[in-house]
Amino acid sequence: MTNYLTDYQSFKTVEEMDMHVEKHILAHYGEMNQTDRVLLSLVAQYGCKFPGAAHLKVSTICHATNKSEATVRRSLRKLEKLLIIKKVPTIRRVSKG
């Protein structure tokens, strides 16, 4: 059984993904603050198994970065606006429910 994240995989290798993350950071350095860069790095870390695809809850990001939900959501919106990330809405299937 294949994982649904393979459908959203953007890169063939982690090295390719890392190269693109670095390029985005350099290209948008003035538009991004430290929180934006930390969030992008975190998303990239979670996107290693399926390069470029990660499934993260906002609460997980908040906990990992010690930032508020409002700050995390604002930063994610900025990264999406800069075309660095793409959010894909999903609904998790509830087991036994």
Side-chain angles (χ1 to χ4, degrees), residues 33-49:
N33 60 31
Q34 184 64 27
T35 300
D36 301 331
R37 290 187 286 275
V38 168
L39 260 64
L40 179 56
S41 294
L42 181 69
V43 170
Q45 287 173 352
Y46 275 81
C48 287
K49 188 170 182 181

Side-chain angles (χ1 to χ4, degrees), residues 34-77:
Q34 184 64 27
T35 300
D36 301 331
R37 290 187 286 275
V38 168
L39 260 64
L40 179 56
S41 294
L42 181 69
V43 170
Q45 287 173 352
Y46 275 81
C48 287
K49 188 170 182 181
F50 302 97
H55 185 125
L56 282 164
K57 292 190 270 184
V58 171
S59 61
T60 302
I61 298 171
C62 292
H63 182 72
T65 60
N66 202 27
K67 300 291 182 185
S68 71
E69 184 175 328
T71 299
V72 168
R73 289 186 186 279
R74 186 172 39 254
S75 186
L76 290 172
R77 278 193 306 271

Side-chain angles (χ1 to χ4, degrees), residues 4-54:
Y4 72 97
L5 286 175
T6 57
D7 296 338
Y8 302 106
Q9 209 170 320
S10 305
F11 307 103
K12 292 181 179 164
T13 65
V14 174
E15 292 77 17
E16 181 185 3
M17 178 185 67
D18 289 344
M19 180 189 69
H20 283 278
V21 167
E22 187 65 30
K23 282 184 179 181
H24 280 299
I25 289 173
L26 291 174
H28 300 287
Y29 195 84
E31 299 164 272
M32 295 171 66
N33 60 31
Q34 184 64 27
T35 300
D36 301 331
R37 290 187 286 275
V38 168
L39 260 64
L40 179 56
S41 294
L42 181 69
V43 170
Q45 287 173 352
Y46 275 81
C48 287
K49 188 170 182 181
F50 302 97

